[in-house]
Amino acid sequence: VAVLDDGFDVEHEDLTGALWMNPGELPEDGIDNDDNGFIDDVNGWNFVEGNGKFPPTTHGTQVLGLLGAEGNNGIGISGTNWRSSIMLLRNVTTIAQTIEAYEYVRQQRDLWNRTDGEQGAFVVATNASFGIEGATCTDYPVWATMYEELGKVGILTAAATANRRWDVDIHGDMPTDCPSDYLITVANANTTDGLFRNSAFGRISIDLVAPGEGSYSTLTGSRYGSFGSTSAAAPYVTGAIALLYATDCNSFDDLTRRDPAAAARYVRSVILSGVRPSPLLAFRTATGGVVDVAASQTEILEQCDALEGEVDLKITLSPNPTSDRVVLKTNILALSTDVQVTLRDALGRVVLQPIPDVTSVAPLTLAFDVSTLPVGYYSVNFRVDSKASTGNLIKR
């Protein structure tokens, strides 16, 4: 996991074992051992001062504790993920530093992908407990594109929304109003699974809430204390992402190597579908729920056989009959976008090969338009990877 923040206490008693150690770098020898352009980037990089050291600030240290403080060690607290490896990036002065920090992370994961784990770092998530309240994604196009670029190599981002009681869909917030399949946007929950009084919300822009308020975390100087706000909510989700990647499912592990972007989208989908619904959030977030990592992990375990492709492909078409749009739902988690839909008329002639929209990956669900077809009966053939299935459709 990579954390972008203002600084970190790297000597905290409950965090030292949770920090990423760059395997290609020798500490404090003044040499760029792994030839990546950064000298002594042992735990990450300070983009403000241009070195591998970090000031021991409160905010970043608190974020680290909630995300990945060592668990079951008889010391302090336990993070959401007990056995983390956290890469540290300091970026508090300019937008350029944020972009540079994201690019550092992207390159580490890309190198890991290309060398099959021999080099680089297997980063699966970044934490963004920062942003610009009232700004919008369109104001910062280069920064905004970084979430897609991270996603392409298999990295999700959990981002905290504004600490303002306003609708992000109306007022904006950077980066939580950015539309990306690799971004999970997080609001702050109170102790009754409602929205904390000064947390932003948004039925379109904000995905879910996490229990940030009333948290207890690590402080500088190997101390501990309370932590709240949306900054505390986001690391619960970042830690959840890391924990889900540790799920005991060989087929999911294979997917992370074969198609890292698809694996990331899948993890995002099970986090969103696994939320604990709350009527207090029904019109405040896209999912109307609170993050529930146990439910999400159960989903992965239950779907493990489907990920392995051990089930026969089946499809359902709805509505059926239809006059315009069709939803094609499968029973598999074949996350490939290499799909083909072919419609044939009663004489077996190909009459339509639409380019469908992928609306879900858990399970794989598509939608396409048939409004141009005449009234009649049609067979619908669907192919994904090496699997195929056929259904019948009535156009009215």
Side-chain angles (χ1 to χ4, degrees):
V1 177
V3 175
L4 284 67
D5 220 291
D6 60 354
F8 317 92
D9 184 355
V10 297
E11 297 181 354
H12 194 289
E13 63 177 6
D14 211 11
L15 297 174
T16 54
L19 302 181
W20 174 68
M21 300 293 292
N22 185 346
E25 200 69 33
L26 297 176
E28 299 185 13
D29 65 350
I31 300 173
D32 180 12
N33 303 107
D34 58 359
D35 198 29
N36 68 347
F38 300 91
I39 297 173
D40 291 336
D41 55 328
V42 177
N43 303 123
W45 194 251
N46 181 337
F47 285 90
V48 178
E49 298 176 345
N51 57 45
K53 299 183 181 298
F54 306 94
T57 61
T58 298
H59 189 272
T61 303
Q62 290 174 309
V63 167
L64 294 189
L66 294 186
L67 189 163
E70 290 187 83
N72 202 30
N73 62 350
I75 300 174
I77 65 167
S78 294
T80 305
N81 188 32
W82 290 11
R83 294 289 179 268
S84 298
S85 178
I86 308 174
M87 181 185 291
L88 308 179
L89 295 310
R90 185 177 182 225
N91 69 312
V92 293
T93 333
T94 67
I95 302 303
Q97 290 167 359
T98 296
I99 295 169
E100 289 173 337
Y102 279 137
E103 179 59 16
Y104 178 95
V105 178
R106 191 200 67 79
Q107 289 182 5
Q108 289 284 355
R109 176 61 190 272
D110 183 54
L111 182 59
W112 190 94
N113 292 344
R114 289 186 288 108
T115 63
D116 197 25
E118 293 296 320
Q119 300 177 53
F122 181 49
V123 185
V124 299
T126 73
N127 188 84
S129 288
F130 64 90
I132 303 176
E133 297 178 349
T136 69
C137 198
T138 54
D139 296 332
Y140 300 94
V142 180
W143 176 6
T145 59
M146 290 307 300
Y147 299 109
E148 291 295 308
E149 295 305 310
L150 290 167
K152 289 177 183 177
V153 296
I155 302 173
L156 294 171
T157 295
T161 193
N163 288 297
R164 297 286 189 96
R165 191 161 184 80
W166 69 26
D167 190 334
V168 172
D169 298 340
I170 298 173
H171 297 281
D173 179 65
M174 181 65 195
T176 60
D177 73 349
C178 289
S180 173
D181 289 336
Y182 305 102
L183 185 65
I184 301 177
T185 51
V186 189
N188 186 17
N190 60 27
T191 56
T192 59
D193 282 355
L195 195 72
F196 188 68
R197 61 180 177 271
N198 70 340
S199 174
F201 53 91
R203 196 172 184 182
I204 297 173
S205 299
I206 307 305
D207 292 316
L208 46 70
V209 304
E213 209 56 37
S215 296
Y216 197 78
S217 190
T218 46
L219 296 175
T220 57
S222 289
R223 297 176 298 121
Y224 305 87
S226 60
F227 187 28
S229 77
T230 59
S231 286
Y236 282 109
V237 178
T238 309
I241 294 168
L243 187 59
L244 292 176
Y245 269 89
T247 303
D248 186 15
C249 174
N250 289 335
S251 56
F252 176 60
D253 293 342
D254 292 341
L255 181 65
T256 64
R257 293 176 180 271
R258 174 169 49 87
D259 194 339
R265 293 194 303 271
Y266 175 59
V267 170
R268 181 178 185 269
S269 74
V270 297
I271 287 178
L272 299 187
S273 63
V275 297
R276 182 174 65 255
S278 169
L280 300 174
L281 301 171
F283 301 101
R284 298 295 192 176
T285 67
T287 63
V290 184
V291 65
D292 186 339
V293 64
S296 297
Q297 192 163 58
T298 298
E299 275 197 51
I300 294 178
L301 290 169
E302 290 177 345
Q303 297 167 351
C304 193
D305 287 346
L307 277 169
E308 291 176 350
E310 294 182 356
V311 296
D312 293 331
L313 174 63
K314 297 179 181 178
I315 64 172
T316 58
L317 302 165
S318 63
N320 192 7
T322 184
S323 58
D324 44 30
R325 196 163 176 79
V326 179
V327 174
L328 187 155
K329 186 174 183 179
T330 77
N331 63 326
I332 64 171
L333 300 169
L335 304 179
S336 170
T337 56
D338 184 19
V339 299
Q340 184 182 63
V341 179
T342 303
L343 278 75
R344 298 176 183 272
D345 63 15
L347 298 177
R349 299 173 298 188
V350 175
V351 293
L352 185 66
Q353 287 186 312
I355 299 175
D357 299 321
V358 178
T359 60
S360 173
V361 296
L364 182 62
T365 306
L366 317 169
F368 55 91
D369 184 75
V370 295
S371 59
T372 59
L373 292 178
V375 172
Y377 291 84
Y378 298 90
S379 67
V380 180
N381 180 262
F382 174 70
R383 291 182 177 274
V384 56
D385 297 329
S386 60
K387 294 178 176 290
S389 184
T390 302
N392 295 316
L393 178 70
I394 300 175
K395 169 65 190 302
R396 63 184 178 188

